[in-house]
Amino acid sequence: MADKSDSEKAKSTAVQKRFKVGDLAVYPAHGVGRIEAIETKVVNGEEHDFYIMKIIENAMVIMIPTWNVESVGLRDVIQKKDIPKIFEVMRTRQDQPMDNQTWNRRYREYMEKIKTGSLFEVAEVYRDLSLLKMTKDLSFGERKLYDTAQNLLVKELSTAKNKNEKAVIKEIDALFKPDEG
């Protein structure tokens, strides 16, 4: 009986190892990282497999249980075919209902979007803060969120496009140039 449960465990572990060593992946709110290793550790007397991921931006190392990938939001880098959709999100201009909210309420809403790990949500935060920045100074917290959103966008887009970050920043900045007319 023990053999069957061991083989079932092996099957479920194999299914859960979605990433391989060397793969690039995105960890919500931290950005693009590389899977450096897959290690087995004993936690509370049970063996568990973990992805050891190093974030490219700051070399932070994160241990992610292989069975917990979905709930923490670890995902593949955006596909090239989806990049135009990200730029479309940033191009979309709508009346900003957020402008009449207090900055700390906006901050909480933006932080929630960044924590989702969705590049589309990050693009919305960046767009909204870029537009707000054109009309008034951002608060310290908003400025930090703006910088975070920009870093997350630029890192992932430059990785997906296989382009240097300066070129990606120029592309993004071009979307927010004031109209000259």
Side-chain angles (χ1 to χ4, degrees), residues 2-178:
D3 287 1
K4 186 176 181 189
S5 68
D6 285 346
S7 73
E8 283 174 351
K9 273 186 193 172
K11 277 184 195 170
S12 71
T13 301
V15 168
Q16 291 162 347
K17 286 186 185 166
R18 189 171 134 200
F19 298 99
K20 300 183 302 290
V21 172
D23 284 354
L24 292 173
V26 179
Y27 192 88
H30 292 286
V32 179
R34 183 176 311 280
I35 304 297
E36 299 281 315
I38 301 172
E39 296 178 0
T40 302
K41 305 237 184 239
V42 177
V43 179
N44 292 334
E46 291 182 28
E47 280 191 356
H48 295 282
D49 290 339
F50 292 87
Y51 292 119
I52 308 301
M53 180 182 196
K54 187 182 244 179
I55 301 298
I56 293 172
E57 175 76 15
N58 56 16
M60 177 184 359
V61 176
I62 301 173
M63 265 180 37
I64 306 145
T66 57
W67 51 268
N68 202 22
V69 165
E70 296 298 317
S71 64
V72 299
L74 188 67
R75 64 174 174 78
D76 293 308
V77 173
I78 194 168
Q79 295 181 6
K80 270 190 172 175
K81 67 179 180 60
D82 293 325
I83 293 171
K85 295 176 193 166
I86 296 297
F87 279 89
E88 191 52 41
V89 166
M90 288 188 284
R91 264 188 220 97
T92 304
R93 304 292 192 261
Q94 54 210 32
D95 293 332
Q96 300 298 345
M98 300 238 176
D99 204 26
N100 58 12
Q101 291 180 342
T102 61
W103 73 266
N104 57 346
R105 184 179 180 110
R106 277 195 307 267
Y107 180 88
R108 279 196 309 273
E109 288 180 16
Y110 291 150
M111 201 63 220
E112 288 304 311
K113 285 184 176 191
I114 286 174
K115 284 180 186 174
T116 67
S118 162
L119 196 59
F120 294 96
E121 300 267 344
V122 172
E124 285 179 16
V125 170
Y126 183 78
R127 174 200 63 206
D128 293 352
L129 288 172
S130 293
L131 294 172
L132 191 60
K133 190 175 145 203
M134 294 164 91
T135 61
K136 65 181 190 177
D137 288 339
L138 299 179
S139 70
F140 177 77
E142 287 170 326
R143 179 68 205 187
K144 280 183 69 171
L145 276 180
Y146 172 85
D147 292 342
T148 298
Q150 183 182 48
N151 286 338
L152 292 170
L153 269 172
V154 169
K155 274 279 183 246
E156 187 164 352
L157 290 174
S158 67
T159 301
K161 292 178 115 183
N162 204 13
K163 258 186 166 177
N164 78 34
E165 291 180 18
K166 285 183 179 155
V168 172
I169 289 171
K170 277 186 180 173
E171 283 182 64
I172 292 171
D173 284 350
L175 298 173
F176 297 98
K177 292 277 185 262

